[in-house]
Amino acid sequence: MAKAKARVAARKIKDKWKAKVWYRVLAPSLFNNVVIAETPAASQELLINRVAEVSLQDLTGDFRKSHIKLYFKIDNVDGTDAHTYFIGHSMTNDYVRRLVRRRRSKIDGVFDVTTRDGAVIRIKPLATTDKRIQTSLKHRLREMMREVIESYARERTLDELIKGIMEDELPKEISKACKKLYHLRRVEIYKTELLKRPVPEETAEEEVKKEEKETPKEEKKEEEKSETEEKAEEKEEVPEEEKSEESEKE
């Protein structure tokens, strides 16, 4: 009897595993919807909000980008394809340690910036120098880095910003701007974190239209209030004038 119960229990476990379906996890359109992983799940709902990690080398085939790790979160499932969106990236610890050497200065920062399409992303840059520099100069370089990153993000969408970071366009802009103040040995964006997803263009246009419709109504209401207040003041002033005229006649 005990052996029969064990066999039944084993069959139930096998049946649960067989009931699962394998899904392909696809990268966003920015990375050409490349298959980054395959994962099993009993239902599509269980896939939502799962996070997949992949190196940039696996996506682009460039071995020089093996130290960059990208993170994607599943938000939509279509058949056996799980679609994701970008939530951040980071560099490996050994790579960051190699950048920082003795008798050199490190300038890093944490900046929350807003892109042109309404996304909010946290960017963490890292710059190194050939030799040690004063703290006051570090503060000035950090402030210059912040200005460059904010202006760069403001003029671009989230996808364009990510592309600029992965292709080292943003680090080059930072190095070029800081060169006027001090020459930087190396500039890297070693970590990013998505805080708010971009606003779709349709919803953004609808919000603008609503604001345009609501503002005239509010202005009309304010005008009506001002007119009623003026009339009330006129009514209050008339009796006082009449009283003054009657007192003069007497």
Side-chain angles (χ1 to χ4, degrees):
M1 291 293 291
K3 290 182 180 180
K5 288 181 180 179
R7 287 175 183 174
V8 171
R11 286 176 185 173
K12 287 181 180 179
I13 293 169
K14 288 180 182 178
D15 291 339
K16 286 181 181 179
W17 179 255
K18 287 180 180 179
K20 293 184 179 181
V21 178
W22 283 88
Y23 294 89
R24 300 191 309 164
V25 182
L26 305 180
S29 57
L30 175 63
F31 299 98
N32 301 322
N33 299 115
V34 178
V35 179
I36 57 178
E38 291 186 359
T39 182
S43 64
Q44 294 182 354
E45 289 77 13
L46 297 175
L47 288 173
I48 304 300
N49 294 329
R50 282 192 187 181
V51 178
E53 176 187 330
V54 63
S55 68
L56 188 57
Q57 179 187 358
D58 295 335
L59 293 178
T60 61
D62 188 356
F63 69 92
R64 295 173 298 177
K65 303 291 185 180
S66 60
H67 60 280
I68 300 175
K69 297 184 293 183
L70 303 174
Y71 304 99
F72 303 103
K73 183 178 282 189
I74 299 173
D75 66 338
N76 183 27
V77 181
D78 184 11
T80 56
D81 293 336
H83 299 277
T84 61
Y85 66 95
F86 176 86
I87 61 171
H89 92 284
S90 65
M91 292 184 175
T92 57
N93 293 329
D94 58 343
Y95 180 81
V96 175
R97 281 196 297 268
R98 285 200 301 269
L99 295 176
V100 183
R101 301 282 185 175
R102 287 184 179 180
R103 298 176 184 176
R104 294 178 185 174
S105 289
K106 179 182 73 172
I107 305 107
D108 55 0
V110 181
F111 310 119
D112 294 344
V113 297
T114 305
T115 60
R116 194 178 66 196
D117 52 356
V120 180
I121 185 169
R122 180 167 291 165
I123 297 178
K124 298 182 180 181
L126 172 66
T128 57
T129 59
D130 289 324
K131 57 184 180 181
R132 290 182 181 176
I133 60 176
Q134 295 178 352
T135 305
S136 59
L137 183 56
K138 284 184 180 181
H139 290 319
R140 291 167 64 189
L141 288 169
R142 188 177 290 109
E143 185 64 21
M144 193 172 287
M145 290 165 65
R146 182 186 64 80
E147 292 175 359
V148 173
I149 292 171
E150 286 181 353
S151 62
Y152 187 91
R154 198 183 304 114
E155 297 171 357
R156 290 165 177 78
T157 62
L158 179 63
D159 287 350
E160 292 171 348
L161 176 60
I162 296 167
K163 187 177 180 182
I165 293 171
M166 297 301 128
E167 295 180 354
D168 294 331
E169 185 179 335
L170 179 55
K172 288 177 182 177
E173 291 290 330
I174 296 171
S175 180
K176 185 179 178 181
C178 293
K179 192 176 182 180
K180 301 174 183 177
L181 187 62
Y182 190 87
H183 175 72
L184 298 176
R185 179 182 177 87
R186 193 69 177 269
V187 180
E188 295 280 0
I189 307 296
Y190 73 93
K191 193 172 185 180
T192 59
E193 182 182 353
L194 185 66
L195 303 179
K196 180 184 176 184
R197 296 186 68 179
V199 180
E201 294 182 358
E202 296 178 356
T203 55
E205 290 177 358
E206 289 177 358
E207 288 178 358
V208 171
K209 288 179 181 178
K210 284 181 181 179
E211 289 178 357
E212 290 177 352
K213 289 180 181 178
E214 288 175 357
T215 47
K217 290 180 181 178
E218 292 176 355
E219 289 176 357
K220 286 181 180 178
K221 287 180 181 178
E222 288 178 357
E223 288 177 358
E224 290 175 357
K225 285 181 181 179
S226 60
E227 288 177 359
T228 52
E229 287 175 358
E230 287 176 358
K231 289 179 181 179
E233 288 176 358
E234 288 176 358
K235 287 180 181 179
E236 290 177 356
E237 289 175 357
V238 170
E240 290 177 357
E241 290 176 355
E242 290 177 355
K243 286 180 182 179
S244 61
E245 287 178 357
E246 287 177 358
S247 61
E248 287 176 358
K249 287 178 182 180
E250 292 175 354

